[in-house]
């Protein structure tokens, strides 16, 4: 089973870039995504820019679910320096 593409998102900015890339790959506008998850387009803009510092995790998860993506938490403590 193919695990799919991975987007590193170790910051809000990178998470936003990943969401934006996925949205575009799915052929969705910001308005389409906002309507699908029940938020404003401004909320999507803030997430994609990485400026929505107090975003509710439930909304992030709904966003990823709508994009058929998931959040992966990886333990980087064992990586070689």
């Amino acid at each position: 089973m193919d695990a799919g593409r991975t987007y590193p998102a170790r910051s809000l900015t990178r998470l936003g870039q990943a969401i934006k890339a996925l949205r575009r790959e799915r052929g969705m506008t910001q308005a389409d995504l906002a309507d699908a998850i029940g938020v404003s387009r401004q909320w999507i803009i803030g997430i994609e820019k990485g400026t929505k510092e107090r975003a509710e995790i439930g909304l992030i998860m709904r966003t990823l679910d709508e994009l058929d993506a998931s959040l992966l938490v990886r333990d980087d403590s064992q990586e070689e320096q």
Side-chain angles (χ1 to χ4, degrees):
M1 174 186 243
D2 183 12
R5 191 171 337 181
T6 303
Y7 295 89
R10 293 185 71 162
S11 68
L12 292 175
T13 301
R14 287 187 178 182
L15 177 60
Q17 290 169 348
I19 288 171
K20 184 176 186 175
L22 288 165
R23 175 181 59 76
R24 286 181 169 175
E25 286 176 17
R26 306 299 191 261
M28 297 178 81
T29 66
Q30 290 171 331
D32 292 336
L33 183 55
D35 287 345
I37 62 171
V39 298
S40 70
R41 183 172 167 266
Q42 291 302 316
W43 190 88
I44 298 295
I45 290 169
I47 290 297
E48 289 185 353
K49 287 184 175 181
T51 59
K52 196 83 174 151
E53 293 184 16
R54 295 181 187 218
E56 182 183 323
I57 190 68
L59 287 178
I60 296 291
M61 299 308 289
R62 273 197 348 229
T63 303
L64 293 172
D65 189 47
E66 184 63 33
L67 295 169
D68 198 27
S70 61
L71 185 63
L72 173 70
V73 176
R74 184 181 73 190
D75 180 1
D76 292 339
S77 67
Q78 301 301 315
E79 284 189 3
E80 292 185 35
Q81 304 275 344

